[in-house]
Amino acid sequence: MSGWLAIAGLGPGDAALVTPEVQAALDAATDVIGYIPYVARVAPRPGLTLHPSDNRVEMDRARHALELAQGGARVVVVSSGDPGVFAMAAAVFEALEDAPAWQSLDIRVLPGITAMLAAAARAGAPLGHDFCAINLSDNLKPWDLIERRLRLAAEADFAMAFYNPRSKSRPQGFQRALEILRDACGPERLITFARAVSTPDERLTTVTLAEASPEMADMRTVVLVGNSTTRRVGRFVYSPRCVEAGGAG
Amino acid sequence: MSGWLAIAGLGPGDAALVTPEVQAALDAATDVIGYIPYVARVAPRPGLTLHPSDNRVEMDRARHALELAQGGARVVVVSSGDPGVFAMAAAVFEALEDAPAWQSLDIRVLPGITAMLAAAARAGAPLGHDFCAINLSDNLKPWDLIERRLRLAAEADFAMAFYNPRSKSRPQGFQRALEILRDACGPERLITFARAVSTPDERLTTVTLAEASPEMADMRTVVLVGNSTTRRVGRFVYSPRCVEAGGAG
């Protein structure tokens, strides 16, 4: 019996945003591994073992998945959104680095609709020009690096998407991020708080940086900041495709 | 009769990467509008009119879609990948800006699997840490701004994804981009050329910047550049989730 491991993205929440490729992997799996709320999105069935685990045990989870696949299981590691964007794919490759014997396993990464693109779609097209994605959690990197990236991203006039805007371990971090952005981008820059997009808890709010406050975000929120040309049209927010010479920055 | 407009992403090519949400919109549509090769991916059926158009007529296409929807049609504008990433969504909002009467139309953006995430999944997890996406075409912005963004992105130690790496109007642009990257990131930095991912023409190549040459990319290629910690593990490339203090930059 030949095992395999698929590291799959479930999208932001709505089943209509799960790709057929990911659904086919789930349908063929013997084992599904992941963070509790993501595993809860997979329908139980005979022959499928669900392995929900708590947050912050990514490396244990990755090793468990590799062990099961090595033993012949058909394993899907599930992430919300896309597995390659601040999610489980990097953790699995980290585990693989420590265990060369597993490197010949059949391992595939199956992309999904990542939170920032689901949020951008709902808002309009705020990421319609060059942009960056930054994880604002300082669990895995020093806060100084986050601050430096924010300043450089503003200087580059990138639109920005922030994952994990409010880190439990550093509740003041997002307030500091907003201060840096106000300083670097000015008070009129548009910022969108997109919470739980495509779920019943969805809430979208667009304000200026002057009006933004830290409690507008929580752990289920993705934050989008426009570039210098991002503007409203009707109920939408978008970044024009075109930038004139000398027009940005 | 009540018309609507959906701006939908078809993903990178494989039908298994089209979301059920997008498929449902196509199934309900009366009209599909888009660039010739993308419209060719939609199955013809009675009651559905296909409107393929040439490249570089994005604004005409956007206005046509809005006019049809205003007249009561159920219109899907199709893009490859995600409509909000260097694709049709921004063009439709630009057209909407010029025509306030259309702003009350039922308009939705339906996200898709964008090329850089399909490419990253195939390569491993090169975008597993903070990253940026830059359109290297200078059709809609000055080349100087592209150069500035490349330098700032390197200084921020972002992983990078480049769309449209070789612009017909400026064949030397990508060579210049590679020179800037070699200068800013050093010759050992990993770069992945991902061509036509998820199609029969798929081809993935990862080399160092020292080994990279402009002809490794064409208009169907997305280019991914790692950050300072991106490395190989077995046949994969990934960016570790964790950066030590002082470790990046």
Side-chain angles (χ1 to χ4, degrees):
Chain A
M1 180 166 155
S2 185
W4 50 253
L5 172 58
I7 312 157
L10 296 177
D14 186 345
L17 295 176
V18 178
T19 67
E21 180 181 67
V22 167
Q23 191 56 55
L26 292 170
D27 292 345
T30 57
D31 296 85
V32 169
I33 294 181
Y35 178 40
I36 298 162
Y38 308 149
V39 172
R41 288 168 53 191
V42 177
R45 60 171 166 77
L48 178 65
T49 307
L50 301 176
H51 305 267
S53 53
D54 209 347
N55 213 347
R56 301 217 187 173
V57 295
E58 287 85 359
M59 292 309 296
D60 294 343
R61 201 186 284 152
R63 280 186 290 263
H64 185 203
L66 287 161
E67 275 164 14
L68 286 172
Q70 179 69 31
R74 300 187 296 275
V75 183
V76 180
V77 172
V78 288
S79 287
S80 180
D82 181 276
V85 178
F86 312 127
M88 280 301 295
V92 171
F93 293 116
E94 253 171 87
L96 205 60
E97 208 164 34
D98 297 334
W102 288 339
Q103 289 174 13
S104 57
L105 274 171
D106 177 0
I107 299 173
R108 291 171 302 150
V109 182
L110 309 183
I113 302 292
T114 186
M116 68 176 166
L117 296 184
R122 216 60 124 202
L127 305 179
H129 195 77
D130 300 338
F131 66 94
C132 65
I134 302 177
N135 186 342
L136 287 190
S137 164
D138 61 350
N139 288 341
L140 295 168
K141 67 190 164 197
W143 178 258
D144 284 355
L145 180 60
I146 297 173
E147 288 205 4
R148 204 155 65 80
R149 285 184 176 153
L150 290 173
R151 291 195 183 279
L152 289 165
E155 194 181 338
D157 200 25
F158 282 129
M160 306 177 207
F162 303 135
Y163 287 71
N164 303 314
R166 294 187 79 182
S167 176
K168 281 175 198 163
S169 64
R170 190 176 181 118
Q172 296 312 306
F174 187 52
Q175 177 158 352
R176 180 78 189 117
L178 288 175
E179 285 162 12
I180 290 168
L181 291 168
R182 269 191 287 264
D183 179 56
C185 307
E188 295 308 311
R189 184 68 56 93
L190 292 179
I191 181 170
T192 297
F193 295 86
R195 182 171 191 275
V197 167
S198 89
T199 79
D201 303 323
E202 175 173 325
R203 195 177 62 226
L204 239 83
T205 315
T206 298
V207 297
T208 65
L209 279 177
E211 297 161 332
S213 62
E215 63 277 9
M216 290 178 177
D218 65 12
M219 286 306 281
R220 297 184 70 192
T221 306
V222 162
V223 178
L224 306 177
V225 175
N227 67 22
S228 62
T229 68
T230 303
R231 51 189 185 248
R232 293 178 189 269
V233 52
R235 63 192 181 280
F236 301 104
V237 176
Y238 90 105
S239 300
R241 302 167 305 147
C242 196
V243 173
E244 303 296 330
Chain B
M1 179 166 154
S2 185
W4 50 252
L5 171 59
I7 312 157
L10 296 177
D14 186 345
L17 296 176
V18 178
T19 67
E21 180 181 68
V22 167
Q23 191 56 56
L26 292 170
D27 292 346
T30 56
D31 297 83
V32 169
I33 293 182
Y35 178 40
I36 298 162
Y38 308 149
V39 172
R41 289 169 52 192
V42 177
R45 60 171 166 76
L48 177 66
T49 306
L50 301 176
H51 306 266
S53 52
D54 208 346
N55 212 347
R56 304 216 188 170
V57 294
E58 287 84 359
M59 293 309 297
D60 293 342
R61 200 186 284 153
R63 280 185 290 262
H64 185 202
L66 287 161
E67 276 165 12
L68 285 173
Q70 179 70 29
R74 301 187 293 277
V75 183
V76 180
V77 171
V78 289
S79 287
S80 181
D82 181 276
V85 178
F86 312 127
M88 279 302 296
V92 171
F93 293 116
E94 253 172 86
L96 205 59
E97 207 164 35
D98 298 333
W102 288 339
Q103 290 175 11
S104 57
L105 274 172
D106 177 0
I107 299 172
R108 291 171 302 150
V109 181
L110 309 184
I113 303 292
T114 185
M116 69 176 166
L117 297 184
R122 216 60 125 203
L127 305 179
H129 195 77
D130 301 339
F131 66 94
C132 65
I134 302 178
N135 186 343
L136 287 190
S137 165
D138 61 350
N139 288 340
L140 296 167
K141 67 190 163 196
W143 178 257
D144 284 355
L145 179 61
I146 296 174
E147 287 205 5
R148 205 155 64 81
R149 285 184 176 153
L150 289 174
R151 291 195 183 280
L152 289 165
E155 194 181 338
D157 200 24
F158 282 129
M160 308 177 205
F162 303 135
Y163 286 71
N164 304 315
R166 295 186 78 182
S167 176
K168 281 176 198 161
S169 64
R170 189 176 181 116
Q172 296 311 306
F174 186 52
Q175 178 160 349
R176 180 79 189 118
L178 288 176
E179 284 163 12
I180 290 168
L181 291 168
R182 268 191 288 264
D183 179 56
C185 307
E188 296 307 310
R189 185 67 58 92
L190 293 179
I191 180 169
T192 297
F193 296 86
R195 183 170 191 275
V197 167
S198 89
T199 79
D201 303 323
E202 175 172 324
R203 194 177 62 225
L204 239 82
T205 313
T206 298
V207 296
T208 64
L209 279 178
E211 297 161 332
S213 63
E215 63 277 9
M216 290 179 176
D218 65 11
M219 287 307 280
R220 298 184 70 193
T221 306
V222 162
V223 177
L224 306 176
V225 175
N227 66 22
S228 62
T229 69
T230 303
R231 51 191 185 248
R232 293 178 189 269
V233 52
R235 63 192 182 281
F236 301 104
V237 176
Y238 90 107
S239 300
R241 302 166 306 146
C242 195
V243 174
E244 303 296 330

